[in-house]
Amino acid sequence: MIVATYSEYWKTLAVAARTSPEEARTLLKRYVNGPYLDHLVDGIRRMAEQGREPYGEVIPRLKEVRVGGKRAEVTDCQDTSKAGMADRLTHKLIPGSIRDNSTANIKAVLEQSTDGRWRLTGLSIREAACTPPSR
């Protein structure tokens, strides 16, 4: 359930970031809780004001999932080589926003809500490089 929630979060975030902040909140609250939800919606609002939207997709490459009670940490060496930014009006890729063979070293925190669902409560992108797990 944790892995599925984490993976679906990224797909939903890509869709939500192309909508209004209000609609984004509705889409994301199934996967995100607390102040992190507000942070994401604020980021979507800023992207819209700048005339940008996500382009392509990120591919999660989970390295580790640690669970302790109602809290979990996911370590991901995400493949970002097919993701960039697009112009919000034309939906065309902004040149230079995709880097071949790029990864993002991510640590996500999820908590189990009172309804039993796991939701992200925080996410950070680490500076250190990462190597995705072999497939």
Side-chain angles (χ1 to χ4, degrees):
M1 199 63 176
I2 294 166
V3 171
T5 296
Y6 179 78
S7 296
E8 286 300 315
Y9 157 76
W10 288 105
K11 293 174 188 173
T12 303
L13 180 60
V15 171
R18 293 179 184 94
T19 66
S20 70
E22 296 75 21
E23 191 174 341
R25 180 178 299 279
T26 299
L27 291 169
L28 289 168
K29 68 183 178 183
R30 180 179 176 133
Y31 303 98
V32 183
N33 242 354
Y36 185 56
L37 178 58
D38 295 332
H39 170 76
L40 288 173
V41 172
D42 288 343
I44 290 168
R45 183 176 292 113
R46 283 191 304 276
M47 260 196 314
E49 289 168 356
Q50 295 167 359
R52 299 181 303 138
E53 67 182 11
Y55 179 91
E57 68 176 316
V58 297
I59 302 166
R61 301 280 189 239
L62 276 63
K63 292 185 82 164
E64 181 180 27
V65 177
R66 291 187 298 169
V67 182
K70 294 183 179 276
R71 187 174 192 277
E73 287 185 0
V74 172
T75 303
D76 182 10
C77 186
Q78 190 174 86
D79 178 348
T80 59
S81 65
K82 293 177 178 43
M85 297 302 294
D87 181 284
R88 197 170 183 94
L89 294 176
T90 66
H91 310 292
K92 290 186 179 176
L93 177 67
I94 296 171
S97 67
I98 290 183
R99 294 188 321 250
D100 290 340
N101 300 318
S102 60
T103 58
N105 188 350
I106 294 175
K107 178 182 172 187
V109 176
L110 294 90
E111 293 181 6
Q112 193 171 28
S113 301
T114 54
D115 64 3
R117 291 186 56 90
W118 287 89
R119 292 183 172 86
L120 278 87
T121 57
L123 184 140
S124 60
I125 300 174
R126 300 171 175 175
E127 293 297 319
C130 65
T131 303
S134 58
R135 294 247 166 207

